[in-house]
Protein backbone atom coordinates (compact mmCIF):
# COMPACT_ATOMS: atom_id res chain seq x y z
CA UNK A 1 0.00 0.00 0.00
CA UNK A 2 2.76 2.40 0.98
CA UNK A 3 4.67 1.56 -2.18
CA UNK A 4 1.65 2.12 -4.42
CA UNK A 5 0.74 5.39 -2.73
CA UNK A 6 4.19 6.83 -2.29
CA UNK A 7 5.83 5.88 -5.56
CA UNK A 8 2.92 7.12 -7.68
CA UNK A 9 2.33 10.49 -5.98
CA UNK A 10 5.12 12.34 -7.84
CA UNK A 11 3.94 10.87 -11.15
CA UNK A 12 0.32 11.89 -10.47
CA UNK A 13 1.57 15.42 -9.77
CA UNK A 14 3.58 15.53 -13.00
CA UNK A 15 0.64 14.13 -14.97
CA UNK A 16 -1.75 16.68 -13.50
CA UNK A 17 0.70 19.47 -14.38
CA UNK A 18 0.67 18.24 -17.99
CA UNK A 19 -3.14 18.17 -18.03
CA UNK A 20 -3.31 21.68 -16.57
CA UNK A 21 -1.01 22.96 -19.34
CA UNK A 22 -3.25 21.32 -21.94
CA UNK A 23 -6.36 22.86 -20.37
CA UNK A 24 -4.79 26.33 -20.32
CA UNK A 25 -4.55 26.24 -24.12
CA UNK A 26 -8.35 25.87 -24.39
CA UNK A 27 -9.85 27.92 -21.52
CA UNK A 28 -13.39 27.90 -22.95
CA UNK A 29 -13.59 24.13 -23.42
CA UNK A 30 -16.71 22.30 -22.26
CA UNK A 31 -16.79 20.21 -19.12
CA UNK A 32 -16.92 17.02 -21.18
CA UNK A 33 -13.88 18.13 -23.17
CA UNK A 34 -11.99 18.92 -19.98
CA UNK A 35 -12.90 15.56 -18.49
CA UNK A 36 -11.76 13.88 -21.69
CA UNK A 37 -8.41 15.64 -21.41
CA UNK A 38 -7.92 14.19 -17.93
CA UNK A 39 -9.01 10.68 -18.93
CA UNK A 40 -7.02 10.60 -22.18
CA UNK A 41 -3.71 11.71 -20.67
CA UNK A 42 -1.77 8.52 -19.89
CA UNK A 43 0.84 10.33 -17.80
CA UNK A 44 -1.97 11.14 -15.37
CA UNK A 45 -4.32 8.15 -15.69
CA UNK A 46 -1.76 5.35 -15.26
CA UNK A 47 -0.17 6.56 -11.99
CA UNK A 48 -3.57 7.66 -10.69
CA UNK A 49 -4.98 4.19 -11.39
CA UNK A 50 -2.07 2.54 -9.59
CA UNK A 51 -2.50 4.95 -6.69
CA UNK A 52 -6.19 4.09 -6.46
CA UNK A 53 -5.37 0.36 -6.53
CA UNK A 54 -3.28 1.04 -3.42
CA UNK A 55 -6.36 2.57 -1.82
CA UNK A 56 -8.38 -0.51 -2.73
CA UNK A 57 -5.72 -2.75 -1.22
CA UNK A 58 -5.71 -0.57 1.90
CA UNK A 59 -9.48 -0.99 2.32
CA UNK A 60 -9.12 -4.74 1.82
CA UNK A 61 -6.34 -4.97 4.41
CA UNK A 62 -8.37 -2.98 6.94
CA UNK A 63 -10.70 -5.97 7.18
CA UNK A 64 -7.96 -8.38 8.15
CA UNK A 65 -5.31 -6.28 9.89
CA UNK A 66 -4.89 -4.32 13.08
CA UNK A 67 -5.79 -0.72 12.18
CA UNK A 68 -3.39 0.72 14.77
CA UNK A 69 -0.49 -0.91 12.91
CA UNK A 70 -1.73 -0.82 9.31
CA UNK A 71 -2.43 2.91 9.09
CA UNK A 72 0.90 4.17 10.46
CA UNK A 73 2.86 1.50 8.58
CA UNK A 74 1.18 2.34 5.26
CA UNK A 75 1.70 6.07 5.77
CA UNK A 76 5.33 5.63 6.84
CA UNK A 77 6.10 3.48 3.82
CA UNK A 78 4.28 5.97 1.62
CA UNK A 79 6.53 8.76 2.90
CA UNK A 80 9.69 6.75 2.22
CA UNK A 81 8.65 5.62 -1.27
CA UNK A 82 7.47 9.14 -2.14
CA UNK A 83 10.90 10.49 -1.19
CA UNK A 84 12.65 7.78 -3.21
CA UNK A 85 10.47 8.48 -6.25
CA UNK A 86 11.13 12.22 -5.90
CA UNK A 87 14.84 11.50 -5.68
CA UNK A 88 14.69 9.29 -8.79
CA UNK A 89 12.87 12.07 -10.66
CA UNK A 90 15.46 14.65 -9.64
CA UNK A 91 13.19 16.64 -7.34
CA UNK A 92 14.85 18.68 -4.64
CA UNK A 93 14.11 18.24 -0.96
CA UNK A 94 15.81 18.76 2.37
CA UNK A 95 17.50 15.51 3.32
CA UNK A 96 17.99 16.08 7.07
CA UNK A 97 14.33 16.84 7.93
CA UNK A 98 13.21 14.01 5.65
CA UNK A 99 15.59 11.50 7.27
CA UNK A 100 14.62 12.66 10.76
CA UNK A 101 10.89 12.49 10.04
CA UNK A 102 11.17 9.10 8.36
CA UNK A 103 13.23 7.74 11.26
CA UNK A 104 10.73 8.96 13.84
CA UNK A 105 7.81 7.46 11.94
CA UNK A 106 9.67 4.15 11.51
CA UNK A 107 10.45 4.03 15.23
CA UNK A 108 6.80 4.72 15.98
CA UNK A 109 5.70 1.88 13.70
CA UNK A 110 8.19 -0.48 15.30
CA UNK A 111 6.84 0.42 18.74
CA UNK A 112 3.31 -0.44 17.56
Amino acid sequence: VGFLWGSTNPFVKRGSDIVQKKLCTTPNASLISKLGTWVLTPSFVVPHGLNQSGSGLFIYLLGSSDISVLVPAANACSLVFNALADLALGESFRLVPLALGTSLVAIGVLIC
Side-chain angles (χ1 to χ4, degrees):
V1 170
F3 173 76
L4 287 170
W5 281 347
S7 63
T8 58
N9 282 338
F11 293 99
V12 170
K13 181 182 181 301
R14 283 192 173 192
S16 65
D17 290 344
I18 291 169
V19 171
Q20 288 298 328
K21 287 178 185 173
K22 288 180 182 180
L23 292 175
C24 285
T25 61
T26 55
N28 296 328
S30 69
L31 179 61
I32 299 297
S33 176
K34 289 179 182 180
L35 183 60
T37 302
W38 284 99
V39 172
L40 297 174
T41 305
S43 58
F44 172 76
V45 172
V46 172
H48 183 66
L50 290 170
N51 190 288
Q52 291 305 303
S53 68
S55 297
L57 179 60
F58 181 73
I59 297 298
Y60 173 76
L61 290 174
L62 282 175
S64 62
S65 301
D66 184 9
I67 192 170
S68 64
V69 175
L70 177 65
V71 173
N75 287 320
C77 290
S78 176
L79 172 72
V80 171
F81 284 114
N82 194 329
L84 292 174
D86 279 340
L87 183 64
L89 291 172
E91 298 286 331
S92 63
F93 56 88
R94 297 178 300 180
L95 185 60
V96 173
L98 176 68
L100 178 62
T102 303
S103 299
L104 291 173
V105 171
I107 290 168
V109 170
L110 288 174
I111 290 172
C112 288

